[in-house]
Amino acid sequence: MFAVTVSSSALVLAGAVFLAAAVEMVEALTIVVAVGHTRGWRSALEGSAAALGVLTVLVAALGPALVRVPLNALRLVVGGVLLIFGLQWLRKAVLRSSGWRALHDEDAIYQAKVRELEGLGASPGRDHAAFVMAFKGVFLEGLEVVIAVLTLGTSAHRLGLAVVSALVAVVLVGAVGAGVSRQLSAVPENAMKTVVGILLTSFGTFWTGEGLRIHWPGSDTMLLGFVAIYAFVVWALATSLRARRRAHEVAA
Amino acid sequence: MRLGRLRGAVAAFGRFWWDFLVGDTPEIFVVVVVALAIVAWLSLGAHLAALAGVVLPVAAVGALAISLVRAARSR
């Protein structure tokens, strides 16, 4: 029984980090592909590599330090951050799926980036504008992945698993992205964002409670209970907001 | 000069966390912080500990619902 519950929580953790990294990688890749197609691949790839390097240093520097923090304090702080972070993701996903907010359109973002880059003059030698834009795109999107890896990985004492899950997502999305290039809009990003939001909120609730010495019924299994509860709540809220949106449109 | 840079870095660090945790959803931040304070208080008393476990998920659902209604009303 113990082995089953431990592996199920590890699976949920790996899934959460993988999906969070995949969603952010799709957003970063849209920018990198736009930079590469418009200004050339050398600077785009150099900027991306530099950003990935800085993000790796951040994980390597902060990860071992966070592991030394007393577990209850770490889980309380990290759980609180995850709870807020997860609820913010769920809010965006529900507003998008119910039509109150436009879906994240990678095609539109791609076109906007291309227009922005074409407006910049050509520069001789290394293209600094392309380098900086690719760096910023990968770094800013990657920062959320770093936070997910560090918070989930250190609180569960599974930093290695979290790092590997994120790396697999980065490599997989990078490889698929290189193949499909501009068809990144086909990725079901909002569905992935919803799943990540549910997982982050579940971990946040679970660990904040553990940090405050709450003994959850069923121990680690309660994590799956939270996933089910929040999945139902998200479905109910999205359905209700969709109906409200339709009524709003009829009235207008 | 060095002090100015240090101040700038501290301000940027604070801005990052403010945007990250509060941003355009202060209601989520406030509900979560208040819920944590209530749960911490409840978990001090042994007879209220069971209630503490209920407050957290209920507050999370409440924060999400409030934030969604607020966003829908503003559109």
Side-chain angles (χ1 to χ4, degrees):
Chain A
M1 182 62 192
F2 179 75
V4 171
T5 53
V6 165
S7 63
S8 69
S9 69
L11 207 68
V12 176
L13 179 130
V17 174
F18 177 85
L19 285 174
V23 169
E24 297 303 331
M25 261 305 286
V26 168
E27 295 180 8
L29 203 61
T30 303
I31 298 167
V32 174
V33 171
V35 173
H37 275 298
T38 319
R39 312 279 299 196
W41 286 101
R42 188 180 158 193
S43 298
L45 292 176
E46 282 175 355
S48 308
L52 285 174
V54 175
L55 293 169
T56 307
V57 169
L58 270 178
V59 174
L62 295 175
L66 281 175
V67 168
R68 289 198 197 99
V69 176
L71 195 57
N72 275 344
L74 184 72
R75 286 187 166 175
L76 176 60
V77 174
V78 161
V81 170
L82 280 178
L83 198 49
I84 292 168
F85 195 26
L87 289 171
Q88 287 172 346
W89 274 50
L90 282 182
R91 177 184 179 271
K92 270 188 215 161
V94 172
L95 287 175
R96 282 178 180 150
S97 73
S98 58
W100 285 94
R101 193 172 172 161
L103 284 171
H104 203 265
D105 187 347
E106 296 301 337
D107 284 340
I109 293 166
Y110 177 86
Q111 295 301 338
K113 279 287 166 214
V114 167
R115 276 196 299 278
E116 188 183 343
L117 286 158
E118 281 173 348
L120 301 169
S123 55
R126 176 166 288 139
D127 191 336
H128 288 289
F131 180 91
V132 169
M133 196 162 277
F135 180 89
K136 268 174 70 179
V138 175
F139 182 75
L140 293 177
E141 301 298 345
L143 210 51
E144 290 196 30
V145 180
V146 167
I147 290 170
V149 166
L150 287 176
T151 52
L152 291 168
T154 52
S155 293
H157 273 207
R158 291 178 194 272
L159 187 60
L161 178 67
V163 169
V164 169
S165 304
L167 282 176
V168 169
V170 168
V171 171
L172 206 68
V173 174
V176 172
V180 301
S181 197
R182 293 183 196 181
Q183 280 93 49
L184 288 167
S185 55
V187 174
E189 205 185 323
N190 206 52
M192 287 163 74
K193 214 166 191 126
T194 308
V195 174
V196 175
I198 290 169
L199 294 177
L200 293 182
T201 308
S202 301
F203 272 112
T205 308
F206 185 80
W207 280 333
T208 309
E210 294 244 303
L212 290 169
R213 297 175 197 280
I214 291 176
H215 298 289
W216 297 114
S219 194
D220 279 8
T221 318
M222 191 60 202
L223 195 56
L224 298 175
F226 283 134
V227 171
I229 291 168
Y230 289 132
F232 175 77
V233 167
V234 164
W235 168 80
L237 287 171
T239 307
S240 151
L241 276 182
R242 217 172 286 131
R244 199 170 155 164
R245 174 81 186 163
R246 272 197 292 271
H248 185 77
E249 279 169 356
V250 169
Chain B
M1 184 69 184
R2 229 181 240 177
L3 195 70
R5 259 190 209 170
L6 185 70
R7 250 187 231 150
V10 170
F13 184 74
R15 248 195 323 273
F16 167 78
W17 282 103
W18 177 266
D19 289 342
F20 187 72
L21 294 174
V22 181
D24 56 354
T25 55
E27 65 282 359
I28 290 180
F29 180 79
V30 170
V31 172
V32 169
V33 169
V34 169
L36 289 185
I38 293 171
V39 171
W41 178 72
L42 287 174
S43 55
L44 289 177
H47 57 294
L48 293 172
L51 191 61
V54 180
V55 170
L56 216 45
V58 168
V61 171
L64 182 61
I66 291 168
S67 191
L68 287 170
V69 169
R70 189 172 160 254
R73 276 194 186 151
S74 69
R75 273 150 223 265

